[in-house]
Amino acid sequence: MKHLLIPDLICDTVYDIPFSDYYEKGIRAIAFDIDNTLVSYDTPEPDEKLTAFLFSLRDMGFSIAFVSNNDASRVERFNASLGFSANPDAHKPLTGCLKKVMKKFGVKKSEFLMVGDQLLTDALCARLAGVAVVTVPPIQPVENRFFRLKRRIEKPFIRAYYKKQGRKK
């Protein structure tokens, strides 16, 4: 049984995720968290490299969605030049947002992948929804008490992931 807070894979950045392998395994839709997964909190729009990367995933055959706990103005501004499915105020780890995206794209749980930076929101949401999950370290760690606490809670699960892989981190 998969643990609710241990992702299927941890990669250094979204660019390191083996998306072609996931496509070969039948994944057809990807939900990305935005803040600290794709860009830092203070980056309002994707740069050329990220834009090209996301379009390359679309061209590979993936349906792309953004699923963010941030507000509509943030998510819509980030998505304005991309035109993907934008889902603000997602209330992760609640699963309604992912179920809505899967229904919109017409994919089954086995065809869906969640990518995010937080175990307590992104990974937990994916696990509760029954979909695969990849996490990346936060691009720019937020230094308030709430996020420090969340990261402290996540550490044992990150260590457990690497122990399971036979690696230390």
Side-chain angles (χ1 to χ4, degrees), residues 34-112:
I34 296 172
D35 294 313
N36 261 346
T37 300
L38 295 174
V39 295
S40 64
Y41 279 98
D42 58 358
T43 302
E45 298 163 1
D47 62 15
E48 288 180 25
K49 178 182 177 183
L50 181 57
T51 298
F53 173 72
L54 293 169
F55 284 145
S56 75
L57 293 176
R58 181 201 59 197
D59 294 345
M60 191 184 295
F62 291 110
S63 297
I64 307 291
F66 300 121
V67 177
S68 175
N69 283 348
N70 215 321
D71 62 42
S73 62
R74 162 65 170 144
V75 175
E76 289 167 7
R77 180 172 180 189
F78 180 84
N79 190 41
S81 65
L82 300 169
F84 294 123
S85 174
N87 302 272
D89 301 312
H91 304 290
K92 296 176 289 182
L94 299 178
T95 61
C97 58
L98 294 188
K99 291 176 181 176
K100 175 182 157 188
V101 172
M102 284 187 277
K103 184 175 181 178
K104 178 179 181 174
F105 290 154
V107 297
K108 297 179 277 190
K109 294 175 183 182
S110 62
E111 299 172 315
F112 196 80

